Amino acid sequence: MFFVFSAILFGAAHAANAPDINWSLSFDDKEVFYAFFKKMDTDRDYRQLAAARVTTIWCDGANWSGKEKVDRIPPQIGFLINLEWLELAENRISQLPSQIEFLRKLKVLNLNHNLLTEIPPEVEYLSSLESFSVASNQIKRVTEKISHLIKLEYFFLNSNLLTSLPAGMGGLSSLKELDVSNNQLTTLPKTLPKTRAKLNNLTSINCMQNPNLKIPKELQFLIDEEIIYLEN
């Protein structure tokens, strides 16, 4: 339902001309993935066509061995200004390039099961982002600027190394579901909604498996409303 896979996929990435189609690209080889970005860097016509057409990139490494997995996102990702869906779960990515800030139309970003240690401030520019998945990484810190993602509805931070969340979490006015389970949280930001009138769309905060978590009394309302889940 999400994708229309290109059957051509630039006949490896060395084709003289990019196919004249609307691209949803699926990669089953990291070398082809890297070759795509290299060609954008060296072929201006190819880059312009890719920038105009590519809306989805699917590069899930779930069935790849360790050496086959993607370990970096090339900076040329910033050329893909019409990209709406970026799927890079189950790889070995440890950081995001600053050029990710140019993906202003990106709606879905899945980086589950990678090696990220932080969410960098550049994500604040992903103004169209609706679903952000970074579960099962090594994240210790979330930038305060996360509050700029005013369209974000689903945020998955479970199974990381978080001990706290930024006050900016309270600025996610479209948020429906937040999963911070299986971390090392000791508290939640007091900027989260404190009354029914301020709940907006929020329906679930999964805090399970945070054994040292203490909920501030200001947020007791969220437990009473069964928004916060605490069972360990």
Side-chain angles (χ1 to χ4, degrees), residues 51-114:
R53 300 289 180 85
V54 175
T55 59
T56 298
I57 287 182
W58 183 271
C59 191
D60 189 313
N63 296 318
W64 302 353
S65 68
K67 65 180 181 180
E68 295 172 330
K69 293 180 183 290
V70 169
D71 56 14
R72 60 185 173 85
I73 302 175
Q76 292 82 11
I77 190 79
F79 291 134
L80 302 178
I81 57 174
N82 286 304
L83 193 64
E84 296 182 2
W85 190 303
L86 181 56
E87 180 75 33
L88 288 166
E90 300 276 359
N91 281 290
R92 297 184 60 80
I93 297 164
S94 59
Q95 61 182 12
L96 303 180
S98 61
Q99 291 82 0
I100 199 169
E101 71 177 84
F102 298 113
L103 306 183
R104 305 297 171 89
K105 294 185 180 180
L106 193 67
K107 295 180 179 179
V108 178
L109 177 56
N110 187 351
L111 289 158
N112 288 344
H113 294 276
N114 274 280

Side-chain angles (χ1 to χ4, degrees), residues 30-167:
K30 79 170 184 180
E31 297 307 322
V32 179
F33 175 78
Y34 291 140
F36 165 67
F37 289 101
K38 183 176 181 179
K39 187 169 179 64
M40 276 204 298
D41 198 34
T42 58
D43 186 330
R44 180 178 179 182
D45 291 339
Y46 191 83
R47 178 169 69 246
Q48 290 178 338
L49 184 59
R53 300 289 180 85
V54 175
T55 59
T56 298
I57 287 182
W58 183 271
C59 191
D60 189 313
N63 296 318
W64 302 353
S65 68
K67 65 180 181 180
E68 295 172 330
K69 293 180 183 290
V70 169
D71 56 14
R72 60 185 173 85
I73 302 175
Q76 292 82 11
I77 190 79
F79 291 134
L80 302 178
I81 57 174
N82 286 304
L83 193 64
E84 296 182 2
W85 190 303
L86 181 56
E87 180 75 33
L88 288 166
E90 300 276 359
N91 281 290
R92 297 184 60 80
I93 297 164
S94 59
Q95 61 182 12
L96 303 180
S98 61
Q99 291 82 0
I100 199 169
E101 71 177 84
F102 298 113
L103 306 183
R104 305 297 171 89
K105 294 185 180 180
L106 193 67
K107 295 180 179 179
V108 178
L109 177 56
N110 187 351
L111 289 158
N112 288 344
H113 294 276
N114 274 280
L115 300 174
L116 297 171
T117 58
E118 67 174 1
I119 296 176
E122 287 81 10
V123 300
E124 71 170 299
Y125 298 107
L126 304 181
S127 54
S128 298
L129 200 62
E130 298 174 2
S131 178
F132 190 13
S133 302
V134 284
S136 298
N137 276 269
Q138 300 171 16
I139 295 171
K140 298 178 180 179
R141 175 181 174 273
V142 178
T143 174
E144 278 285 351
K145 294 184 177 181
I146 201 73
S147 61
H148 293 201
L149 302 182
I150 58 174
K151 293 186 178 180
L152 190 64
E153 298 181 1
Y154 303 96
F155 195 8
F156 301 100
L157 283 159
N158 45 301
S159 301
N160 278 288
L161 301 174
L162 294 167
T163 57
S164 64
L165 295 173

Side-chain angles (χ1 to χ4, degrees), residues 135-207:
S136 298
N137 276 269
Q138 300 171 16
I139 295 171
K140 298 178 180 179
R141 175 181 174 273
V142 178
T143 174
E144 278 285 351
K145 294 184 177 181
I146 201 73
S147 61
H148 293 201
L149 302 182
I150 58 174
K151 293 186 178 180
L152 190 64
E153 298 181 1
Y154 303 96
F155 195 8
F156 301 100
L157 283 159
N158 45 301
S159 301
N160 278 288
L161 301 174
L162 294 167
T163 57
S164 64
L165 295 173
M169 297 290 288
L172 300 176
S173 56
S174 297
L175 194 63
K176 295 179 179 179
E177 295 183 18
L178 172 64
D179 192 341
V180 290
S181 61
N182 193 26
N183 275 282
Q184 299 171 19
L185 295 174
T186 58
T187 189
L188 294 178
K190 296 178 182 180
T191 52
L192 290 172
K194 300 178 183 65
T195 66
R196 181 183 296 276
K198 295 182 178 180
L199 273 178
N200 296 320
N201 299 309
L202 188 62
T203 60
S204 173
I205 303 176
N206 186 348
C207 296

